[in-house]
Amino acid sequence: MDTISIVDQTTSLGKDPKPFLDQKDCFEDDEAVLIEQLRNGEHEAFETIFSLYGSKVYNQAFRLLGDCSDAEDVVQEVFLLVYRKSKSFQGKSKFSTWLYRLTMNAAITKLRQRKDECVSIDDFLPKFSDDGHHSVRPVVDWSQEVDKLAGNLELSRVISQAIDQLQPIDKAVVVLSDLEELSNREISEILGVSILAVKARLHRARLFLRGKLAAHLGY
């Protein structure tokens, strides 16, 4: 499998993610056979896996990176690794989990290479006085205003910018949990951290996002 053939296929990714969704159930039925064919170096098996998962990998990478070119680079890197390391896949986890892990690792590496500055998460966490009451800024409950907030483009922009300011691993946790809707256990397997660490990072990241939104709203 050469690099050019993968690059040619990645140029169309992101335009229509539906092929992955339409074929996923079919793939899961024959996953073991397909993986075995891939291990044996069968090119058609690789092509099938790419057609099934290419758009999904692109979408995952784009959600984390926010850049089409970077997301395409991740797709190329991930599927080169899939081709080269397919024999090392032992089937102890789902193939999709392994693919998630490769995608997140590649995307997080790109995030760490960027020059953008991350803010201190502690600056926007709720603070308490000695008597236990909130000081500086309360934890605001917007549960009754979700629809209104979701439709506010300005607030959506603030939230998006705040997510971008998270440390790469924290951003990955938020993306996998709140956008990909994965369980804490799945996120733990993908990122290689404990479930407790996932819960802690997700809790702090959400408090940070609430704090940023509260500051924007003048609380």
Side-chain angles (χ1 to χ4, degrees):
M1 185 65 182
D2 56 43
T3 303
I4 294 177
S5 61
I6 295 180
V7 172
D8 290 341
Q9 295 177 82
T10 60
T11 57
S12 63
L13 292 176
K15 296 180 180 178
D16 184 10
K18 294 186 185 304
F20 165 79
L21 297 174
D22 294 339
Q23 302 177 63
K24 182 178 179 182
D25 292 338
C26 178
F27 173 76
E28 288 179 344
D29 293 338
D30 301 319
E31 180 177 296
V33 174
L34 197 54
I35 296 302
E36 186 60 32
Q37 291 174 342
L38 180 63
R39 286 175 177 158
N40 293 332
E42 296 186 28
H43 183 75
E44 289 185 359
F46 180 87
E47 295 289 346
T48 300
I49 288 174
F50 186 91
S51 68
L52 290 168
Y53 281 102
S55 294
K56 183 66 172 178
V57 169
Y58 175 89
N59 291 338
Q60 290 169 358
F62 182 79
R63 279 176 167 172
L64 200 60
L65 297 167
D67 181 90
C68 294
S69 178
D70 282 347
E72 288 181 359
D73 287 346
V74 167
V75 172
Q76 179 178 334
E77 181 178 340
V78 165
F79 281 98
L80 282 174
L81 286 173
V82 167
Y83 185 78
R84 292 170 180 169
K85 296 186 174 184
S86 58
K87 292 183 179 180
S88 68
F89 177 67
Q90 301 299 318
K92 294 180 180 179
S93 62
K94 293 192 299 185
F95 179 80
S96 58
T97 299
W98 184 57
L99 201 60
Y100 262 121
R101 188 179 301 125
L102 294 177
T103 303
M104 288 295 105
N105 286 343
I108 288 172
T109 297
K110 276 194 171 293
L111 280 179
R112 287 172 173 161
Q113 292 171 344
R114 289 179 176 177
K115 301 298 183 181
D116 300 339
E117 290 187 4
C118 297
V119 303
S120 172
I121 193 170
D122 292 325
D123 292 342
F124 289 88
L125 294 180
K127 296 176 175 59
F128 301 89
S129 58
D130 293 338
D131 62 5
H133 290 86
H134 288 290
S135 62
V136 182
R137 178 181 301 119
V139 178
V140 182
D141 179 9
W142 291 292
S143 58
Q144 304 303 316
E145 303 179 79
V146 172
D147 292 339
K148 182 170 66 176
L149 293 175
N152 190 308
L153 295 179
E154 173 62 17
L155 295 185
S156 295
R157 181 188 63 80
V158 172
I159 294 172
S160 178
Q161 288 180 344
I163 291 176
D164 286 339
Q165 292 175 329
L166 290 168
Q167 295 291 336
I169 187 70
D170 293 328
K171 184 177 182 181
V173 169
V174 171
V175 167
L176 290 173
S177 179
D178 294 345
L179 299 182
E180 297 288 340
E181 298 183 341
L182 299 183
S183 69
N184 290 338
R185 182 174 296 279
E186 289 172 315
I187 297 171
S188 170
E189 293 179 9
I190 290 166
L191 297 180
V193 298
S194 69
I195 294 177
L196 286 177
V198 170
K199 291 180 178 179
R201 287 182 177 278
L202 186 59
H203 178 67
R204 282 172 56 82
R206 286 172 174 168
L207 285 178
F208 165 76
L209 296 177
R210 289 182 183 180
K212 289 284 289 186
L213 191 53
H216 178 78
L217 295 174
Y219 286 97

